[in-house]
Amino acid sequence: MPRIQFLLLSFLILLSIQASAQEKKVEKVFTFKIDRDIDPAMNRRVKLALEDAEEQKVDLIIIEMDTYGGAVNDADDIRTMLLESPIPVYTFINKDAASAGALISIASDSIYMAPGASIGAATVVNGTDGMAAPDKYQSYMRSMMRSTAEARGRDPKIAEAMVDENIAIDGITTEGSVLTFSVSEAIQHGFCEGEYASIEAILQAKGIENAEISNYEVSYTETIISYFLNPAISGILILVIIGGIYFELQTPGVGFPLFASIIATILYFIPYYLNGLAENWEMIVFVVGIILLAIELFVIPGFGIFGVLGIVCILAGLVLGMLPNQNFDFQFVPSADLFAALLTVILSSIVAVVLIFWLTPKVNEWGAFKTITLAATQQRSEGYTSSFYQNELLGKVGVVHSRLRPSGRVEIDGDIYDAYSRGEFIDQGEEIIVISTEGTSLKVKKHQA
């Protein structure tokens, strides 16, 4: 009997130790926000956040969602990242998960919604007038919604009805309107696991009492990249790019204008490239424009087709690098973004041209510029002259010493000088008069007594 009591006591102690260990276990929870339009910049933010979560070896990722949607291609990238994430992902819809936001939410392992939140309305619209995009885009979105819902064990027909207004589901939606769920409706039909007011409430409901919560912090590098995406900064860089190219072509070999232009080009394109806006071919168009302009200036005389094409390619590369177009497809590029890009490049180019014409006469006066290039001029008023002889010889009368054919020698006041006529031959002994002392020979003509 004592032995049985001892074993029972040991078992109870073991259970107590195990329960205590479980209570003390700290789960690492990582959170970040999708709180604005789904675009290349948000695509990059999600990618970096998920990579950060994996590096920290967290146990759970929670996305706080509040967006009206955005670009389909970026939403597709994000939903793929969530589906392939080795770490469980929850989405907390804090008010809105519309369109692309609904697709991303459905790709998460669990969905939770705040009071008054909604999910759905995933019809694809274009970026110019907000009207529904052509059916090929709707079909693509429907297929993504279906496959994503299937992958997460949710009803694919309901997910598809969030895109297609022609789908009718008994007791859920009628034909003629796209499906949008309130919190209670989403819970009822399996598109939400519960209604909670905060992430902390979700963790408490899941029994995660001692969670170590960390939030995604934007790195210093990303802050700098965002700074250079500002249209005002982009405009200044365009000024430097155009001005640098112009002054380098005007004073080849100086190097500084070209160096400044190259640095400005790098600072202009790299932030847009990292955010998925500028593509390789757009930067190539810019470089081709510079090459065409150089050919026009240095190889082909005048200003013609190569110069015009060069300018067009340079401006096109700068504009396209700011926009999330897909091979000249501007279907989903917001009109505001397109207008902002065009306005930034055009205004910056105009200001650059004005500054070039205003600064060019003043450049030679800069002390710094004089140290790297010959900017001084030799004025006659300062004593400089191209004459090899004294001006006193001008108007002097002499005789031909050796026949001018049309060059030869003349004698003036007993001295012999090299001379040439205006093309006529003048025989030895004939009188001449000096009409110019420029250069190393005197210019003379027959003297009419």
Side-chain angles (χ1 to χ4, degrees):
M1 187 67 178
R3 184 177 180 182
I4 294 176
Q5 290 177 342
F6 174 77
L7 291 174
L8 181 60
L9 180 62
S10 299
F11 180 71
L12 292 174
I13 293 173
L14 184 61
L15 288 178
S16 176
I17 294 173
Q18 185 176 0
S20 177
Q22 288 179 346
E23 288 178 0
K24 293 180 180 180
K25 180 182 178 182
V26 176
E27 296 204 31
K28 299 178 69 174
V29 178
F30 185 87
T31 71
F32 66 93
K33 294 182 178 181
I34 298 180
D35 55 358
R36 55 183 178 80
D37 288 349
I38 309 300
D39 57 14
M42 181 57 71
N43 190 342
R44 178 174 171 80
R45 179 198 288 187
V46 173
K47 180 176 181 295
L48 294 175
L50 293 177
E51 290 175 353
D52 192 6
E54 288 192 38
E55 289 177 3
Q56 294 187 32
K57 301 185 184 303
V58 302
D59 303 298
L60 177 65
I61 298 172
I62 299 180
I63 301 172
E64 186 173 349
M65 172 83 67
D66 185 10
T67 180
Y68 290 110
V72 175
N73 56 320
D74 292 303
D76 185 20
D77 291 341
I78 295 173
R79 71 115 190 182
T80 301
M81 287 187 277
L82 298 188
L83 290 173
E84 295 176 350
S85 172
I87 303 171
V89 179
Y90 293 175
T91 293
F92 171 53
I93 302 175
N94 191 2
K95 300 311 178 191
D96 294 296
S99 190
L103 175 64
I104 295 170
S105 299
I106 294 172
S108 58
D109 296 279
S110 297
I111 303 173
Y112 300 92
M113 301 174 71
S118 61
I119 180 174
T123 300
V124 183
V125 298
N126 58 46
T128 54
D129 55 12
M131 300 298 291
D135 187 64
K136 66 176 182 178
Y137 299 107
Q138 308 298 347
S139 176
Y140 180 60
M141 187 66 170
R142 288 196 299 268
S143 67
M144 283 197 297
M145 292 288 281
R146 284 197 309 269
S147 61
T148 305
E150 288 177 354
R152 292 307 189 198
R154 300 184 175 99
D155 190 329
K157 193 70 174 178
I158 292 177
E160 188 177 6
M162 292 182 178
V163 180
D164 192 348
E165 63 180 11
N166 296 317
I167 295 178
I169 303 175
D170 291 340
I172 298 178
T173 182
T174 59
E175 187 175 344
S177 61
V178 293
L179 180 60
T180 301
F181 278 151
S182 64
V183 179
S184 60
E185 291 169 336
I187 293 174
Q188 179 183 352
H189 299 290
F191 280 75
C192 176
E193 277 68 56
E195 179 180 355
Y196 301 96
S198 64
I199 290 177
E200 290 73 17
I202 296 172
L203 296 177
Q204 186 176 3
K206 298 291 292 184
I208 305 174
E209 300 290 342
N210 300 310
E212 178 186 331
I213 302 176
S214 60
N215 301 315
Y216 173 65
E217 298 291 340
V218 178
S219 67
Y220 184 67
T221 301
E222 292 301 311
T223 301
I224 294 176
I225 289 174
S226 299
Y227 176 77
F228 279 100
L229 290 175
N230 187 308
I233 302 301
S234 297
I236 294 173
L237 293 175
I238 291 172
L239 290 178
V240 178
I241 292 170
I242 296 176
I245 292 173
Y246 173 81
F247 284 112
E248 182 61 31
L249 294 177
Q250 291 298 309
T251 57
V254 173
F256 174 74
L258 178 62
F259 178 76
S261 184
I262 291 174
I263 295 299
T265 301
I266 292 173
L267 293 177
Y268 179 86
F269 279 110
I270 291 301
Y272 288 109
Y273 179 80
L274 293 176
N275 278 277
L277 294 170
E279 299 182 10
N280 292 330
W281 68 270
E282 293 169 340
M283 292 185 285
I284 291 173
V285 167
F286 175 82
V287 174
V288 168
I290 294 177
I291 294 173
L292 290 174
L293 193 59
I295 291 174
E296 183 69 38
L297 293 174
F298 296 114
V299 180
I300 302 175
F303 191 84
I305 186 65
F306 280 91
V308 173
L309 287 177
I311 293 174
V312 170
C313 287
I314 289 173
L315 297 180
L318 293 172
V319 172
L320 294 173
M322 300 176 71
L323 299 172
N325 69 94
Q326 297 293 317
N327 299 324
F328 290 104
D329 183 2
F330 296 91
Q331 182 79 31
F332 301 109
V333 178
S335 300
D337 292 351
L338 180 59
F339 178 76
L342 289 171
L343 188 64
T344 299
V345 174
I346 292 174
L347 284 182
S348 299
S349 301
I350 293 173
V351 173
V353 172
V354 172
L355 288 178
I356 284 171
F357 280 103
W358 181 70
L359 286 176
T360 299
K362 301 178 180 297
V363 168
N364 290 340
E365 301 175 6
W366 297 350
F369 188 75
K370 292 178 180 178
T371 63
I372 59 175
T373 186
L374 180 61
T377 58
Q378 298 174 333
Q379 301 294 331
R380 182 181 293 272
S381 60
E382 298 174 356
Y384 293 101
T385 178
S386 60
S387 298
F388 183 76
Y389 301 102
Q390 297 296 323
N391 287 333
E392 287 78 4
L393 291 174
L394 187 64
K396 285 278 189 178
V397 176
V399 296
V400 176
H401 181 74
S402 62
R403 190 183 186 197
L404 301 180
R405 297 181 294 183
S407 61
R409 290 187 175 187
V410 297
E411 181 180 343
I412 302 174
D413 295 337
D415 294 321
I416 305 298
Y417 301 94
D418 290 326
Y420 64 97
S421 69
R422 294 177 297 183
E424 58 185 332
F425 285 12
I426 306 176
D427 291 330
Q428 184 179 4
E430 292 192 54
E431 284 192 345
I432 52 88
I433 183 170
V434 178
I435 60 175
S436 176
T437 59
E438 302 289 337
T440 58
S441 297
L442 300 176
K443 187 176 182 179
V444 301
K445 68 176 182 177
K446 283 185 179 181
H447 179 240
Q448 304 294 332

